Amino acid sequence: PVRVYENANMLYGTNPFLKSMLNNVAKGKQEFPVHLGSIIDASKGYCSYVGSLTTPPCTEGVTFMMAQKVQMMNPKQAREYLRTAGACVDGNARPIQELNGRQVTCYIK
């Protein structure tokens, strides 16, 4: 069973996205909204492309967005993420794919 932590900031650090995600997981939530602005700061720039999921059924038409600035997490956040994500971290079902004509668009500030 997952323990609900009272002081998420102390336990999960200050990365707002991971703090929110791990706090929701600790409360036993299977689904919860994720606000893109909490992951990617558009004012710092980002890249995007349309690809497909890496796990079956490998659905196409998925828009991937990558922040230009690396997000930081503390060691406790990393351990908790790996503990809760489990097989998802190990579960890439296929190797990196060629671009095959897809365009990667970058917005750099």
Side-chain angles (χ1 to χ4, degrees):
V2 178
R3 201 173 108 210
V4 177
Y5 298 109
E6 293 181 23
N7 189 344
N9 194 39
M10 179 183 79
L11 293 166
Y12 301 135
T14 56
N15 181 310
F17 167 69
L18 282 174
K19 178 178 162 185
S20 172
M21 183 187 75
L22 293 170
N23 199 26
N24 278 307
V25 170
K27 290 178 181 176
K29 294 183 179 180
Q30 299 272 328
E31 294 182 12
F32 46 88
V34 174
H35 303 287
L36 188 58
S38 67
I39 304 171
I40 295 177
D41 181 355
S43 70
K44 307 273 189 228
Y46 65 96
C47 294
S48 68
Y49 68 96
V50 178
S52 58
L53 295 177
T54 62
T55 55
C58 300
T59 306
E60 293 189 27
V62 177
T63 300
F64 288 89
M65 300 185 81
M66 302 151 295
Q68 289 287 312
K69 182 177 182 221
V70 173
Q71 298 291 318
M72 303 301 288
M73 69 172 77
N74 66 34
K76 187 163 187 118
Q77 285 179 309
R79 285 191 303 276
E80 189 69 9
Y81 177 77
L82 290 171
R83 186 185 70 74
T84 59
C88 294
V89 173
D90 300 329
N92 257 356
R94 62 183 186 186
I96 295 173
Q97 304 292 298
E98 296 292 326
L99 283 176
N100 294 324
R102 288 186 292 265
Q103 288 189 326
V104 176
T105 305
C106 293
Y107 305 90
I108 300 172
K109 297 282 180 172

